[in-house]
Amino acid sequence: MKTTREKNLWQYGYRLNINIFFIGISIGLLMIFIGFKPMNIKQQEFVDVPLFQLEAFTLHELSQDGLVTLMKGSKAIRYNDRYKVFNIDYTDNSKNFIANMRADNGLYRDKDDVIDLTGNVIYNREDGLIFESQEATYNKKSAIAKTNKDYVIYRDSNRVVGTSLTYDNRLNRVKSKNVVAKYQIQEK
């Protein structure tokens, strides 16, 4: 039989081994905490997620007076505040003259009724006025079309070439820079 003293030594040794075990575990965890950096995971916020997509579509905007605008395209992606349209064909029937715009790509912003057109832009008004450029912006509220790229504007046999254009469809006024014009004067 074991004496009390032997039992106490055995229990003390057992406690000592358990303490050393937990101290070893604690040191190991501390080394892991200090030695290893937590993985930096990139989180992506999907703020600008498309709501839906259209293929070969036609959108009509109607009012009490009839058709206001017509927008066609081969594909459109609808976001919260805009449409991104491919092969856009946009007609504005809300002003004195009907204006039609075609381009490879268009971005129609709902909030301010502005259309940004890029790639082979053709602006055609019902009275025969046409201008072509590589990009243009059309503000539906003010009926102003702008481009800061080279453009060609023509009507019948009259032709104007320039480097920037601001065309007011309501007032029938054109502002431009670096203009070269060829026009015919009618004599009475």
Side-chain angles (χ1 to χ4, degrees), residues 80-91:
N80 191 30
D81 60 344
R82 68 193 184 283
Y83 286 93
K84 184 175 181 181
V85 183
F86 300 91
N87 299 315
I88 187 169
D89 185 350
Y90 181 84
T91 303

Side-chain angles (χ1 to χ4, degrees), residues 160-173:
V160 177
V161 177
T163 57
S164 71
L165 172 76
T166 301
Y167 178 72
D168 190 333
N169 191 12
R170 278 193 187 136
L171 301 175
N172 198 17
R173 294 195 181 186

